[in-house]
Amino acid sequence: MGDRTIPLSKRYEVPGEAPFEKVVLREPTYHDIFVSGLGRPVEWQPSKTGEIVRIVYAEIIDAYVSRLIKAPSYGAISGLEAPDALAVAEEVCGFFRLSRTGLKTSEPSSSSD
């Protein structure tokens, strides 16, 4: 997979940092996921109505961003506006949307395999 580049909605200027319009994340490794104990940043659970509920763990997403960010610095992104912050979070979650064959999968269905 390699690095992921997330284009931002605007140019950010942070004192002491070069201006930036994108965030670059490296792919998580086995160590990031399992040895560090971070695990998955999102879970899918069935509800009583049969719908699938997505549970997102913001603190795990933030821990991944702090480990995976290549550009700009982790400190520089603290001022990202909501749409851009959510785009970065979705990209982190995207690293974990893989089937056993390594192909991207769609959102889980309510049927079981």
Side-chain angles (χ1 to χ4, degrees), residues 6-108:
I6 304 107
L8 303 176
S9 64
K10 68 178 207 172
R11 177 183 176 105
Y12 288 88
E13 296 189 19
V14 177
E17 299 276 342
F20 62 97
E21 298 174 340
K22 63 184 177 182
V23 172
V24 179
L25 302 175
R26 68 169 173 79
E27 184 176 350
T29 63
Y30 180 91
H31 189 274
D32 296 319
I33 300 165
F34 298 106
V35 177
S36 70
L38 288 177
R40 293 178 180 256
V42 65
E43 279 184 54
W44 299 93
Q45 296 183 354
S47 70
K48 291 178 183 178
T49 64
E51 295 179 26
I52 302 295
V53 177
R54 182 178 185 216
I55 302 169
V56 178
Y57 299 103
E59 66 281 1
I60 295 175
I61 290 172
D62 181 57
Y64 274 113
V65 171
S66 72
R67 285 176 170 263
L68 306 178
I69 195 161
K70 292 180 81 175
S73 72
Y74 174 68
I77 65 166
S78 65
L80 290 182
E81 293 177 358
D84 292 328
L86 293 171
V88 171
E90 280 302 312
E91 199 64 42
V92 170
C93 293
F95 283 121
F96 296 86
R97 283 193 290 264
L98 297 176
S99 71
R100 289 183 187 166
T101 61
L103 301 173
K104 284 278 191 180
T105 60
S106 59
E107 302 297 318

